[in-house]
Amino acid sequence: TWAGSLCHTIESIMTSGAFGVYHCADAGAVSRYEQAREICSVAGLSTDYIRPISLKDFRQAARRPVFTALDCGDLIVPNWRTSLNGFIEQYFSQAQFQ
């Protein structure tokens, strides 16, 4: 979930007058492998060296659940690919000025 889309969703909730506890994440589910390939693709980078591995071969300090997508209920949230494109576009437009 991109912070930019999260901020937009929080603003929408706040200005709607709604209240309560919400789960909020970009729509859709994606594996780390799929996400890494899409990031490279959108950024114009090669995906040649990105390879999938099994969860048992991925060493982590803590055990993690296999599927962790959030159900955002009735919130209107962008798709994760839309947010990724927004982030990449914003990142590269700001990088030109540094």
Side-chain angles (χ1 to χ4, degrees):
T1 298
W2 177 40
S5 61
L6 181 60
C7 288
H8 178 72
T9 303
I10 291 170
E11 180 183 32
S12 295
I13 294 168
M14 291 174 63
T15 58
S16 74
F19 60 93
V21 176
Y22 295 88
H23 291 286
C24 181
D26 289 335
V30 61
S31 71
R32 290 179 177 154
Y33 167 72
E34 294 167 322
Q35 185 180 38
R37 288 186 56 87
E38 188 69 16
I39 289 168
C40 288
S41 178
V42 170
L45 303 171
S46 172
T47 60
D48 292 346
Y49 298 103
I50 299 175
R51 304 271 189 257
I53 63 170
S54 69
L55 192 57
K56 67 179 177 152
D57 295 330
F58 185 63
R59 296 182 187 193
Q60 301 180 84
R63 291 176 29 164
R64 308 261 188 246
V66 175
F67 187 76
T68 58
L70 292 176
D71 178 357
C72 298
D74 294 332
L75 289 179
I76 299 171
V77 294
N79 182 276
W80 70 269
R81 280 191 171 97
T82 302
S83 289
L84 175 62
N85 285 314
F87 167 75
I88 295 289
E89 184 178 305
Q90 180 181 9
Y91 177 82
F92 283 111
S93 70
Q94 289 178 352
Q96 293 174 357
F97 299 108
Q98 295 180 4

